[in-house]
Amino acid sequence: GQNIDQPTEMTATEGAIVQINCTYQTSGFNGLFWYQQHAGEAPTFLSYNVLDGLEEKGRFSSFLSRSKGYSYLLLKELQMKDSASYLCAVRPMFSGGYNKLIFGAGTRLAVHP
Amino acid sequence: KAGVTQTPRYLIKTRGQQVTLSCSPISGHRSVSWYQQTPGQGLQFLFEYFSETQRNKGNFPGRFSGRQFSNSRSEMNVSTLELGDSALYLCASSLAGTDGYTFGSGTRLTVV
């Protein structure tokens, strides 16, 4: 089967660092994506990992361990505008097509002053 | 450059009716995927089209269908609407697949 787990909600303080975890079990693996979605808006692409390790992009970093079926998204120097849902998505290897993603339910992050 | 355009933004339909949603991908993108987003189920894959061919399909009943035109624009159709079809329908386009999707703003469908 295919399963992606991430915490439902998290809270953090402006200026702090927060780590959002994602664990997955899928039929093969061909990449993991993180998306940000503000309420009432479309998801926007944040990062893509296909090999183990850390990918850094400004205040956002994403880590992947394929052997553990684990990823995290690290947000540094939190700003109020970072309050949003963060979606972890996996592209299974044998999806029968190249662009089918399996999404987790999302983590709702609230940043407080 | 223009993003992914979905029309209409909002739609209210009655049970039993059918609905057609439209998606224009980013220029040059040939892959278009459709997702249904609900509070309870999150984002669920409906189907993907590439060069007018359906490449992949999710676990939705046959009432959900789609197509893609030669200019890469895509439409999805839902027939015999049910209350449970109320959701945000998102279209996403991609150039190569490795760069992630770009999502449109979605069509919020309400079935009453």
Side-chain angles (χ1 to χ4, degrees):
Chain A
Q2 301 178 98
N3 194 45
I4 298 176
D5 288 316
Q6 45 181 135
T8 305
E9 291 185 358
M10 298 182 71
T11 59
T13 306
E14 195 175 13
I17 299 173
V18 71
Q19 178 175 311
I20 302 174
N21 296 324
C22 171
T23 57
Y24 63 88
Q25 292 176 306
T26 57
S27 306
F29 177 84
N30 194 22
L32 185 143
F33 297 81
W34 283 96
Y35 285 84
Q36 179 192 60
Q37 187 177 27
H38 286 99
E41 298 182 12
T44 55
F45 171 77
L46 289 177
S47 68
Y48 170 69
N49 296 70
V50 66
L51 299 176
D52 290 352
L54 187 68
E55 295 280 342
E56 296 186 83
K57 195 183 290 187
R59 295 189 300 114
F60 292 7
S61 302
S62 58
F63 171 83
L64 175 67
S65 168
R66 289 173 297 170
S67 62
K68 296 181 180 178
Y70 168 70
S71 173
Y72 68 72
L73 180 69
L74 194 70
L75 291 75
K76 304 175 188 174
E77 300 168 17
L78 281 171
Q79 303 175 10
M80 297 298 290
K81 68 178 182 179
D82 297 329
S83 293
S85 286
Y86 291 86
L87 309 173
C88 173
V90 173
R91 182 161 60 205
M93 176 68 79
F94 305 111
S95 64
Y98 202 57
N99 273 336
K100 173 182 179 178
L101 298 187
I102 309 298
F103 281 84
T107 298
R108 201 160 46 244
L109 173 66
V111 180
H112 299 291
Chain B
K1 65 182 177 183
V4 179
T5 304
Q6 289 189 248
T7 56
R9 287 296 308 275
Y10 302 93
L11 207 50
I12 300 175
K13 288 287 189 179
T14 306
R15 268 182 304 175
Q17 287 186 311
Q18 74 163 15
V19 67
T20 299
L21 312 181
S22 179
C23 171
S24 294
I26 290 173
S27 178
H29 285 193
R30 293 165 65 189
S31 169
V32 175
S33 299
W34 288 89
Y35 286 81
Q36 180 195 66
Q37 187 174 32
T38 58
Q41 298 294 321
L43 270 156
Q44 293 196 295
F45 176 81
L46 280 156
F47 26 66
E48 183 215 356
Y49 286 88
F50 184 88
S51 293
E52 302 179 65
T53 301
Q54 187 181 86
R55 285 207 300 197
N56 212 339
K57 192 177 192 304
N59 296 324
F60 278 82
R63 299 186 297 108
F64 291 82
S65 63
R67 59 178 176 169
Q68 187 180 33
F69 302 96
S70 58
N71 62 358
S72 292
R73 190 176 72 85
S74 177
E75 288 181 347
M76 69 162 281
N77 184 77
V78 188
S79 62
T80 320
L81 283 165
E82 301 177 359
L83 295 179
D85 297 333
S86 295
L88 179 66
Y89 290 88
L90 290 162
C91 164
S93 75
S94 173
L95 180 62
T98 55
D99 54 343
Y101 295 138
T102 299
F103 282 90
S105 297
T107 294
R108 185 162 297 281
L109 171 66
T110 302
V111 182
V112 298

